Amino acid sequence: MGFHQVWQLLPLLGLATAATTIHLCGDSTMAKGGGGAGSNTEGWGEYLKYSFGSDYVVHNAAIGGRSARSFTREGRFTEVANVVKAGDWVVIEFGHNDGGSLSTDNGRTDCPGEGAETCQTTYNGVKETVLTYPAYYKNAAKLFLDKGAKVILNSPTPNNICETGTCVSDVSRFDYYAWHSAAELANPNVYHVPHKQYAVQAMKNLGVSTVNANYPNDHTHTGPYMANVMAGSFVLGLKCGTTALGQAVKNTTASLTSSFYGACIPQNSTVPI
C-alpha cells in the first residue's frame, strides 16, 4: 500500500488531523449571552466560527464582568492554557471593566500605567498586588506562548458611539495599551488587531438608526446583529493583517472592504498584525 493510500485511510482509523482551536478570552462583549440571560444581547465571540471552515473550532472562554486583572486572579487564563495545544490561537480582549479607581476596589480595576507599576489593595479581605493592563496582557500571552500557541492582543470593542444621535470616534488608553503590549513582547507569534478602530469604522458606515437599534439595553452590550458586526470587524482586522489565521478566514478581503466594514486600517509596521 502506497503512502497516498495510507493517508486516505487515516480518517477511517481515527487519526485525522485535529482541528485548530481559536480560544477567546474576554468580557461580556465577547461572551456567550452578552450582558446576561434575558437581555437580548450577545457577545461577538459567538459569531466568529462562521468565518472559518471545519478545520477550525472556536472555544469561547469569555466571561461577563471580567477585566484582565480579574480573569487572571480567578485563574481563567490558566484554565484556557490547560486545554491549549501547540498551533492553537488565543485572542485576548479586555478593557470595558479595567478602568475605575482602586480606592473603591471592585476587584476589576487595573493599576494605572503601561509598564511594571504595581498597586497594593485589599479585595474581599485579601491583600492583592495589582498589575497594569499591559502587564496582565503580556503575562497571559507568555502563558500561551509557552504552550506553543499564537496570540492576538486586541483593543476592546467600543461602546455605542452613536447614542447621542451622532456617531463619534471612541478612543481610550486601553487601545494604546493593547498595541503597546504586543510591541513590548516583540515576539513573531504575538499579533495585534485594532478591533475598536475597525468596529468604529463599521458603525459610522452603518449609521445612527441601525447602530442604536442594536444596543437594546445599554451602551455596552450588543444585540445579535451588532455582535455579528463586531465579529466581522475583527475578521476584517485579521484579513488586513499578516497572520496565518487571517489567511484561513473564508471571507475575502474584497467582500469585507466593499461593504459597510470599510477599508483596511494602516498600522505601525513594527508590530505584527
Side-chain angles (χ1 to χ4, degrees), residues 161 196-207 211 226 229-230 232-233 236 260-262:
I161 64 168
K196 179 183 285 186
Q197 287 181 262
Y198 279 103
V200 166
Q201 178 172 266
M203 294 164 78
K204 287 183 175 180
N205 290 336
L206 284 170
V211 172
M226 193 56 63
V229 170
M230 295 299 171
S233 299
L236 177 57
F260 62 80
Y261 287 111

Side-chain angles (χ1 to χ4, degrees), residues 24-28 30-31 60-64 66 71 91-94:
L24 305 181
C25 300
D27 55 35
S28 58
M30 179 192 275
N60 191 352
I63 300 288
R66 278 17 179 224
F71 211 84
V91 181
I92 301 173
E93 181 178 297
F94 291 94

Side-chain angles (χ1 to χ4, degrees), residues 51-52 56 89 238-239 241-251:
S51 288
F52 293 90
Y56 284 84
W89 290 82
L238 288 178
K239 290 299 291 184
T242 62
T243 69
L245 189 61
Q247 295 170 15
V249 167
K250 293 192 295 183
N251 316 72

Side-chain angles (χ1 to χ4, degrees), residues 5-255:
Q5 292 171 302
V6 172
W7 179 254
Q8 288 179 319
L9 283 175
L10 288 180
L12 300 177
L13 297 172
L15 298 175
T17 303
T20 300
T21 302
I22 306 168
H23 304 268
L24 305 181
C25 300
D27 55 35
S28 58
T29 60
M30 179 192 275
K32 180 178 176 61
S39 65
N40 296 316
T41 62
E42 189 58 276
W44 69 263
E46 290 300 287
Y47 294 91
L48 185 60
K49 60 188 176 185
Y50 299 113
S51 288
F52 293 90
S54 59
D55 50 342
Y56 284 84
V57 295
V58 175
H59 168 217
N60 191 352
I63 300 288
R66 278 17 179 224
S67 66
R69 171 192 167 194
S70 61
F71 211 84
T72 299
R73 186 183 61 251
E74 294 171 4
R76 297 185 184 276
F77 284 124
T78 300
E79 289 176 3
V80 174
N82 287 341
V83 297
V84 164
K85 61 185 183 297
D88 282 353
W89 290 82
V90 183
V91 181
I92 301 173
E93 181 178 297
F94 291 94
H96 285 280
N97 300 309
D98 292 77
S101 172
L102 286 169
S103 62
T104 53
D105 190 12
N106 61 8
R108 304 184 299 187
T109 301
D110 306 326
C111 186
E114 62 182 54
E117 299 91 337
T118 61
C119 299
Q120 300 302 316
T121 189
T122 300
Y123 175 67
N124 276 353
V126 178
K127 291 184 178 180
E128 182 179 346
T129 298
V130 181
L131 310 181
T132 63
Y133 177 98
Y136 287 120
Y137 256 40
K138 289 185 287 185
N139 287 347
K142 291 172 184 176
L143 184 66
F144 299 125
L145 290 170
D146 286 346
K147 294 285 186 172
K150 296 178 176 64
V151 181
I152 300 175
L153 302 179
N154 279 6
S155 59
T157 57
N159 287 326
N160 181 355
I161 64 168
C162 305
E163 62 181 336
T164 64
T166 302
C167 298
V168 297
S169 295
D170 178 5
V171 179
S172 80
R173 65 187 183 277
F174 300 113
D175 308 336
Y176 165 72
Y177 286 164
W179 172 88
H180 179 70
S181 300
E184 289 251 300
L185 284 166
N187 187 302
N189 291 319
V190 176
Y191 299 82
H192 169 65
V193 170
H195 194 182
K196 179 183 285 186
Q197 287 181 262
Y198 279 103
V200 166
Q201 178 172 266
M203 294 164 78
K204 287 183 175 180
N205 290 336
L206 284 170
V208 172
S209 297
T210 299
V211 172
N212 285 339
N214 289 284
Y215 278 86
N217 300 324
D218 54 40
H219 68 192
T220 302
H221 300 102
T222 54
Y225 175 82
M226 193 56 63
N228 188 45
V229 170
M230 295 299 171
S233 299
F234 171 69
V235 168
L236 177 57
L238 288 178
K239 290 299 291 184
C240 293
T242 62
T243 69
L245 189 61
Q247 295 170 15
V249 167
K250 293 192 295 183
N251 316 72
T252 65
T253 305
S255 71

